[in-house]
Amino acid sequence: MNHTAPTYSADFATAAASRLSRAGFLCGVVGLAVAIGLGLAEGDHMRHFWLSYLIAFAFVLTLGVGGLFFVLIQHITGAKWSVTVRRQAEFAIGTIPFLAFLALPLLVPLFSHEGVEEFGGLLWSWVHPHGDHAALITSKVPFLNVNFFVGRFVGYFLIWSLMARYFKNASIEQDKTGEHELTVRMRTRSALCLIVLALTYSFAAFDLLMSTDPAWFSTIFGVYLFGASFLAIHCFLVLSTLYYQRQGHLKKMVTIEHYHDLGKLMLAFTIFWAYIAFSQYMLYWYGNIPEETAWYLIRITSPWTNWSWIEPIGHFFIPFLGILSRHIKRKPPLLGFWAFYILVVHYIDLYWLVAPNLYPDTVPFNGVEVFALIGVVGLFLWKYGQQAKQHSLLAHRDPLISDCLAFQNY
Amino acid sequence: MAITGRLTMTNQTSIHGILAEFDSVDGILHAAEKVKQEGYRKWDCHTPFPVHGLDGAMGIRQTRLPWLVLVMGFAGCSGGILLQWWTNAHDYVFRISGKPDWSLPANIPVAFEMTILFAALTAFFSMWILNGFPRWYSPLFRAKCFTRATDDRFVLAIDARDDLFGEETRKLLESLSPNTIEMIEAPIEDGKIPLRLKGMLGIALTLLLLPPAMIANARFTKSTQPRVHIVPNMDTQVTHRGQEASDFFADGQAMRLPISGTYAQEDDRLIGEQVGFWTGKENGAYLSSIPMDVTPEFEDRGRARFGIYCSACHAVNGSGQGTVHLRAQELLSKTWVGPTDLRTDAIKQQAPGQLFESISNGIRNMPSYSSQIPAADRWAIVQYLKESL
């Protein structure tokens, strides 16, 4: 090692992480308990609760897998700018095995016989094809059947967990050994992993969310969810960094330049998300084929019209103009506000993707959604905090760290 | 510290500026701070790589480029939308597969591309202009120490046109402990384009004139050659004549009938007429009279319709010597069957219903006219054939 290179020390945020973890656990337990209570009171076979749980779960999944995309992309591009924030994404991917555990409750609406006659399945109506499209959906049963569905998710989570484990542990091992070879090895492996991740995530998006309307299909759906997830993880990193800096950590290690970079990627992926969302919309609008436009039809007709306007205006125009200026990207509290805002519209986006399929005639949104979200995000933060408690917040012996700190935006 | 170059400052006008060479980043940063503090305005630093903090040390303000890009991006976006609205929805309305004349979704891709195009080109060219490009030559190139400014030395140059420029300038630079200080004279033949470059530009411009010249030539001369057909599209597809046989369709005919259940969208007042009105037949027999009121206007209309629809083949006098027929004979078309002379007894003796049927459904080589001529007008033509021809 070059003896003139400066050395950096590890940054253990044990107290701050424990606080986050404890608060998360509390929110998790209370939030879910209240959501279940409210859900039971509705007397709809818990259908509304399961919808809320599915969306909340999808929300934290976009953070976990979004983090995996983030880490892999930093490695494959040999990114220097992100070294000092990458560890937080590594904590996020450390929650993936736990996310598999959070997915388990979804087996209930999958296997439950309640409401099957009425809806064809509490969340996934292909469980019991019925109604106008029964014949069409039945023809998809070789792919959309309960056993294969569960099998696929076991596969997805196995693959993601293995990847997450490898990339997180290798980075943490470097904290101890400082071995440069690890960086090289992670870079080489990230290539194949990215391909596998892109494919599995695309299919997971089809399965988990798109198949809530089994008659509808869109090949771009996986890319759509990737765009949303990649946007979400950048917002999460901004907020998480702000939190740790407030608690007195990472003070000199994450500078205005890093916030600026995170902000630029937030802007880029706000645009990317809109590009994909609009591409899908425009092709269906132009083709004007009934089986494709039906999905948009329920969304642009009452009562979902207003929710649909949130997509182009709230998820694109407002944040686009909001974070376009470099002055905003270089003011961490302001950027933090926009990061939070985008995460809120990100949730609305996920909700909009699924809820109208199950409730074409009403907007069921109420406290159940809010508490389910608080609960699931709380549990996610609980695990996130636990990861952060044990390890340095900084990959302080990453060979690229000096470059990361020397970097400046113009 | 060594001082090279001609240091005489007697003739101010011939001096271009003064250069100081440093061999470290710290040196130039410190020097820049000082020069800025003294209040100089026309000066610059030349370094082999971007030096962090140099902008701040020199007091360079944030560039205005982003604002230009923003404004031009918006201009591109609104221009793109306006262009599409004007061309497709206003000036010459395009109706495509039942879409509304004007709807935003279809126009967003172009608006998006125009935004990017305008923003990118603005960024690129404004950057040039703000940096004073294109510039063929700078007198600084003549300074000896400047050659290493792209390698391992850091050079600070103060322009002689600066208000504060004078003897103190050199003193100031000396106080900053540079490697060397060098004075450069203003060049005599500054900024002239070399002859070779001029020649190349001339040739390029001449070549650029070729395409417009060829277009102008094509525009104003006549040619007997068929025009160049770059994209044939469906211009030369296989066509069929009315009543022609075809292997393609199961019924062996090239002519397609409307699918069953189709009904004519004709004048509403006539819907509800007898079957004979539409077919020319009642109970299997041709109508022996016109099922409409025969008025002078009706007869006039019949003459006019015959002139419009039939005379091209059958000729105005019904002889069958119409222009289409004459042209076909000129071409010696082997498959051409001449139009019937409509003045012969064989035709005159036909019942009005039969004539009506021939027009409506076509007969042998003559195609059907029911899609072009409303039934009432077809009866008017029959009246004309019977009575006036």
Side-chain angles (χ1 to χ4, degrees), chain B residues 42 53 98 103-104 131 158 214 226 332 376:
Chain B
K42 294 198 172 89
S103 57
L104 215 45
N131 280 320
I158 300 180
M214 286 162 74
L332 297 174

Side-chain angles (χ1 to χ4, degrees), chain B residues 151-167:
Chain B
D151 187 4
D152 59 353
R153 288 293 188 272
F154 306 83
V155 173
L156 191 152
I158 300 180
D159 199 302
R161 282 168 301 180
D162 195 294
D163 295 340
L164 300 175
F165 192 82
E167 191 58 32

